[in-house]
Amino acid sequence: MTDEATALFIVSEEGYWAEECIEPLTTLTDAGVDITVATPSGSEPVVDERSTDPENVGEETAEYVKEVIESDDRLANPEPLATVDAEEYDAVVFPGGHGTAWDVNQDRHARQALLNAVAGDEGKALVVCHAVGILAFTREADGSFLVEGREVTGFPNEWEEGIVDDNDLMPDGRKLPYWVEDEVKAAGGEWDAELDADASVTVDGDLVTARGPESSTAAAEALLEELELGAVAE
């Protein structure tokens, strides 16, 4: 591990969930991690407006995430994902949000970044909420799924049922192409979203997964522990 740990955040341009990006971003920054933000095309990431609405997330959270989003130059000026080498970073972070289903999870460079992070001796990956869907589409060189046999958590079907309608249409009218839990299970993941727990974070080797917004801070802290920076964050 280098003296200054580094992390690459791969953020959706189709709608990331604010807390799932901002909490890890600020937690790692406060611990001294040097962070680079990338998006699939290099355009500024787009926040899901539901995740900055006080009626959905509360006044305090809404105010906080908006302030960071509006002031953080890293989010305002991301790198194009294809131009970034994930192997140069100690960790790769995939914030969640429904938007990942349409871009990050389907991006071959994002999948390769995940493979590179998990395959190395020191690299780590943190994957949050809907971004956990990328595990269902990421394969090893031999064709096997990266998630096969791994313990993971992520956005559960039970929660998805309360968001999409009977035709899988989102509140904004877009059709959700798949449900994260179904696809990750089909790819061989050992799924447990711990629905009875306030937060759900699972560490399996170099892979850290988190269930949703309320797990974001705990997930970032777990990643810091994996990077042997836990004491810095305390």
Side-chain angles (χ1 to χ4, degrees):
M1 190 62 58
T2 59
D3 291 338
E4 183 178 46
T6 58
L8 174 66
F9 274 60
I10 301 177
V11 189
S12 176
E13 296 166 271
E14 295 289 340
Y16 70 89
W17 197 264
E19 188 175 356
E20 295 171 359
C21 179
I22 302 308
E23 283 296 336
L25 186 73
T26 55
T27 300
L28 267 62
T29 298
D30 290 345
V33 179
D34 183 27
I35 294 171
T36 298
V37 174
T39 59
S41 75
S43 295
E44 187 172 349
V46 175
V47 67
D48 187 326
E49 292 183 357
R50 294 174 301 155
S51 69
T52 60
D53 185 342
E55 293 188 3
N56 289 331
V57 301
E59 292 282 353
E60 184 177 352
T61 296
E63 182 178 349
Y64 174 62
V65 296
K66 285 180 181 178
E67 180 181 351
V68 176
I69 291 169
E70 292 170 0
S71 63
D72 196 304
D73 290 338
R74 296 168 298 186
L75 287 171
N77 299 285
E79 301 290 335
L81 180 55
T83 68
V84 180
D85 184 0
E87 292 183 336
E88 295 180 355
Y89 296 86
D90 298 308
V92 180
V93 179
F94 296 81
H98 278 92
T100 61
W102 288 281
D103 62 358
V104 172
N105 297 352
Q106 304 297 336
D107 190 293
R108 69 185 184 96
H109 293 102
R111 297 175 190 173
Q112 190 61 52
L114 176 60
L115 279 173
N116 291 346
V118 176
D121 293 332
E122 294 187 347
K124 313 291 181 183
L126 168 58
V127 193
V128 185
C129 196
H130 280 87
V132 173
I134 195 173
L135 295 170
F137 307 103
T138 303
R139 294 177 181 266
E140 305 273 13
D142 63 3
S144 63
F145 286 103
L146 173 66
V147 74
E148 185 174 353
R150 288 182 179 270
E151 296 182 358
V152 294
T153 184
F155 197 81
N157 285 352
E158 186 170 321
W159 292 6
E160 203 73 86
E161 290 172 356
I163 297 174
V164 299
D165 69 10
D166 292 340
N167 297 318
D168 284 354
L169 294 181
M170 295 281 297
D172 62 7
R174 291 187 294 180
K175 185 179 187 299
L176 190 65
Y178 57 84
W179 290 26
V180 172
E181 179 178 340
D182 288 342
E183 297 298 331
V184 173
K185 283 181 175 179
E190 300 293 333
W191 180 276
D192 184 1
E194 302 175 288
L195 293 176
D196 293 331
D198 292 336
S200 176
V201 177
T202 300
V203 179
D204 187 309
D206 294 335
L207 178 65
V208 182
T209 51
R211 185 181 62 197
E214 74 292 327
S215 304
S216 301
T217 300
E221 292 170 348
L223 178 60
L224 287 174
E225 291 182 8
E226 293 301 305
L227 292 171
E228 301 180 359
L229 294 173
V232 178
E234 294 177 356

